[in-house]
Amino acid sequence: ETGVTQTPRHLVMGMTNKKSLKCEQHLGHNAMYWYKQSAKKPLELMFVYSLEERVENNSVPSRFSPECPNSSHLFLHLHTLQPEDSALYLCASSQADRASTDTQYFGPGTRLTVL
Amino acid sequence: AQSVTQPDIHITVSEGASLELRCNYSYGATPYLFWYVQSPGQGLQLLLKYFSGDTLVQGIKGFEAEFKRSQSSFNLRKPSVHWSDAAEYFCASRGNEKLTFGTGTRLTIIP
């Protein structure tokens, strides 16, 4: 399954570090998403980009900063994170238009640990 | 607001036995419905989806799901599970808003 790729797969960082997560989709989609998956919690939608413009930001702390330079790439820039930010971060993409079913396809995730 | 309920947190099934995972949604109209599977340390893989038409939907890996409007349900079934089916299963719905996920059901397979 190589439709949506994410790097790195694992990341350990200190609270003062700055790092970035990368997502790339090879499906020709026009929308991309960041989700956070914590233990024993439902998936939390963090950001949505459609046609490279941010259309939704679900009150995510400013220490998370997304970037979508084109329809195939999505980044999540991280700085001064907290230990409770440790989670699996999932990227997804979809074809979001009236003619499609807007089915989301997910990458393998980045397992983030904040020390 | 729409919501998805998966009432079973954990299910254990013997290999070769049948499986049914429950999912109920809350939405005024008929939403789009999905089942995803997540193996440990992996992302979510789409098993099947329902948008309209035939209420019995076939998916990958031998799974099927049935949409029942009267019960607001979209239960996932498999006639005979394999050890490789051990994973976490997520039901999701999308009305006119974002994709909403249930909390997941963890499936354990015993010999």
Side-chain angles (χ1 to χ4, degrees):
Chain A
E1 187 70 46
T2 58
V4 182
T5 58
Q6 291 187 243
T7 55
R9 293 294 309 276
H10 300 272
L11 178 62
V12 179
M13 60 187 290
M15 294 168 61
T16 57
N17 291 159
K18 289 186 180 181
K19 296 287 184 183
S20 296
L21 309 184
K22 179 182 177 181
C23 175
E24 184 172 359
Q25 60 96 0
H26 310 273
L27 301 170
H29 289 163
N30 62 5
M32 297 186 77
Y33 311 78
W34 279 117
Y35 287 88
K36 177 183 179 182
Q37 186 179 34
S38 305
K40 304 188 189 303
K41 286 187 177 181
L43 267 74
E44 301 172 51
L45 178 63
M46 300 176 72
F47 299 103
V48 180
Y49 276 83
S50 181
L51 298 173
E52 301 155 42
E53 290 189 12
R54 189 190 304 179
V55 297
E56 187 164 348
N57 172 359
N58 289 295
S59 302
V60 177
S62 59
R63 57 185 183 269
F64 295 91
S65 174
E67 178 189 1
C68 187
N70 55 61
S71 60
S72 299
H73 294 86
L74 183 65
F75 296 88
L76 187 63
H77 303 300
L78 317 171
H79 64 97
T80 59
L81 294 191
Q82 304 297 312
E84 59 265 28
D85 297 322
S86 298
L88 182 68
Y89 288 84
L90 293 166
C91 174
S93 72
S94 73
Q95 186 61 26
D97 56 53
R98 288 175 181 250
S100 78
T101 55
D102 200 9
T103 300
Q104 292 184 25
Y105 294 87
F106 286 79
T110 294
R111 172 67 62 187
L112 174 67
T113 302
V114 182
L115 301 176
Chain B
Q2 58 185 16
S3 65
V4 176
T5 302
Q6 293 181 250
D8 303 305
I9 296 174
H10 187 196
I11 284 182
T12 300
V13 176
S14 298
E15 190 168 14
S18 63
L19 171 71
E20 183 168 26
L21 302 182
R22 296 184 291 166
C23 172
N24 292 94
Y25 66 89
S26 171
Y27 183 65
T30 300
Y32 294 166
L33 295 162
F34 307 82
W35 274 100
Y36 287 87
V37 61
Q38 184 178 33
S39 297
Q42 300 296 315
L44 276 67
Q45 181 182 20
L46 181 68
L47 282 176
L48 48 78
K49 56 190 176 183
Y50 172 77
F51 299 126
S52 64
D54 193 345
T55 56
L56 186 62
V57 180
Q58 301 298 318
I60 63 171
K61 303 185 179 187
F63 285 93
E64 66 178 27
E66 186 171 13
F67 169 64
K68 292 186 178 180
R69 185 192 308 274
S70 61
Q71 299 176 19
S72 296
S73 69
F74 188 57
N75 294 349
L76 182 72
R77 300 194 295 248
K78 186 169 184 177
S80 176
V81 298
H82 185 262
W83 64 266
S84 60
D85 294 324
E88 186 130 22
Y89 291 79
F90 293 91
C91 182
S93 76
R94 184 172 66 80
N96 58 357
E97 301 174 359
K98 63 185 180 183
L99 191 62
T100 300
F101 287 87
T103 51
T105 297
R106 180 169 300 280
L107 176 64
T108 298
I109 308 295
I110 56 176

